[in-house]
Amino acid sequence: MSNSPDGGSLTKAQSYALVVVAAVLLSAILAPVAYDRATQPDGTVAVITIEGPITSNSATAVQEDLREARENESIDAVVLNVDSPGGGAAASEQLYLSVQRTAAEMPVVASVKSTGASGAYYAMLPTSDIYVTPASIVGSVGVRAASPGPSLPGEVKSGPDKASATADQRRAQVETLQRAFVGSVMKHRSDDLELSRTEVAHAKVYTGARAVDNGMADEIGSTQDAIRQAANAADLDDYEVYRKEPPQTGGLFLLSADDGGAVVVERSPVGYETVDTPTLLMVYGTVQTESEVIGNVSA
């Protein structure tokens, strides 16, 4: 008995044709999915910003960004986008330790947008490469501190060193921090550094072009160049770039009329007169005393 259209059965040719049509339709449906999977990026480079004076609040925000990068399996490398004159010694040191921890787990590259001096330069030291523009400012490997002030009239203290320090004690603190700062520069940059330890300790600032010549920085290039370098270090041929927005500062910026340096006074519910200003700073600029800060607030 033959299979005819009248009998409701399909011929072999018709069955084959239906299979071909079904295959074509299935391919048309699955092809975009397969193409999408084939064109997915190999990984992600996160760009994290260090901007403005380094305070405890701004350092904590950047530390949190770095922690998220380490814990996010889709992030394979980090670029630090730096534009900072430095800041508090303790905050800068915490930032340095966080960058060092991140660099132990994935490639980290720094890009100096305009300024990467003092505490900001310290924070960049654990990175594998420091990119600068020819006019960038880097360096200032040093620590500055305000001289101890006299006791307030009628002040009563439980001990002679409570809430104050002698000039010798302050000098010893500065020297200890300076040795740590210079030692970190020699540790991380010694292979390329053309400067002696003494020259580094002079705390000069250098243009980006000069910094590349003397080994304080690695390459002249943009942030995009730094991103490409980070991606290469992570073996990424195709990658996405995730830019982390810089944190909003919750304090009040006070600008010095002399050099444009910034001092941050954190918001206080009990008034500015109770705010303690930093005593030890890694800064590129002038350290203002408490009386100058309060004077600026009043003005």
Side-chain angles (χ1 to χ4, degrees):
M1 183 174 62
S2 63
N3 293 326
S4 66
D6 294 337
S9 300
L10 298 176
T11 64
K12 289 183 178 181
Q14 290 172 323
S15 299
Y16 177 75
L18 286 176
V19 170
V20 171
V21 170
V24 170
L25 292 174
L26 186 61
S27 298
I29 294 171
L30 296 181
V33 177
Y35 176 79
D36 183 63
R37 289 179 178 175
T39 57
Q40 285 293 321
D42 299 331
T44 302
V45 177
V47 179
I48 296 174
T49 299
I50 300 175
E51 188 175 66
I54 298 175
T55 66
S56 59
N57 285 346
S58 65
T60 298
V62 175
Q63 284 180 283
E64 181 63 20
D65 291 342
L66 291 170
R67 183 190 64 78
E68 290 179 5
R70 292 193 303 268
E71 295 180 355
N72 191 331
E73 295 182 356
S74 68
I75 293 178
D76 302 277
V78 168
V79 169
L80 299 178
N81 188 22
V82 180
D83 190 2
S84 169
S92 299
E93 187 172 59
Q94 289 300 313
L95 207 50
Y96 163 86
L97 293 173
S98 187
V99 172
Q100 181 171 250
R101 181 178 178 184
T102 306
E105 298 187 22
M106 65 181 66
V108 181
V109 176
S111 171
V112 179
K113 192 174 181 180
S114 176
T115 304
S118 204
Y121 184 75
Y122 187 26
M124 293 189 292
L125 287 174
T127 65
S128 61
D129 298 275
I130 298 176
Y131 278 73
V132 293
T133 66
S136 296
I137 296 296
V138 297
S140 188
V141 181
V143 181
R144 303 181 70 172
S147 299
S151 299
L152 297 175
E155 182 181 26
V156 178
K157 298 187 292 186
S158 62
D161 295 331
K162 174 62 179 174
S164 65
T166 66
D168 288 340
Q169 289 171 331
R170 184 62 52 79
R171 188 175 298 107
Q173 292 172 339
V174 169
E175 290 175 354
T176 298
L177 290 170
Q178 172 72 349
R179 283 195 298 270
F181 195 175
V182 174
S184 295
V185 173
M186 303 307 295
K187 170 186 174 183
H188 293 284
R189 306 293 310 174
S190 59
D191 290 344
D192 302 309
L193 205 58
E194 298 293 334
L195 303 175
S196 68
R197 187 183 186 95
T198 300
E199 288 173 318
V200 172
H202 282 171
K204 291 182 180 179
V205 294
Y206 303 94
T207 62
R210 180 63 182 140
V212 171
D213 287 340
N214 64 28
M216 294 286 282
D218 295 291
E219 299 284 348
I220 296 292
S222 64
T223 301
Q224 283 302 121
D225 294 322
I227 291 171
R228 282 191 289 269
Q229 174 60 24
N232 289 336
D235 295 324
L236 302 178
D237 294 324
D238 185 24
Y239 55 89
E240 290 182 324
V241 177
Y242 169 66
R243 297 180 182 273
K244 183 71 175 179
E245 293 297 323
Q248 297 297 316
T249 303
L252 172 67
F253 281 86
L254 308 174
L255 297 180
S256 165
D258 294 329
D259 60 8
V263 175
V264 177
V265 177
E266 301 297 338
R267 298 189 186 279
S268 171
V270 292
Y272 290 114
E273 68 277 2
T274 64
V275 176
D276 292 329
T277 56
T279 55
L280 293 169
L281 299 173
M282 289 182 178
V283 295
Y284 174 51
T286 302
V287 177
Q288 292 188 322
T289 65
E290 182 174 358
S291 60
E292 290 172 326
V293 171
I294 298 302
N296 284 339
V297 173
S298 300

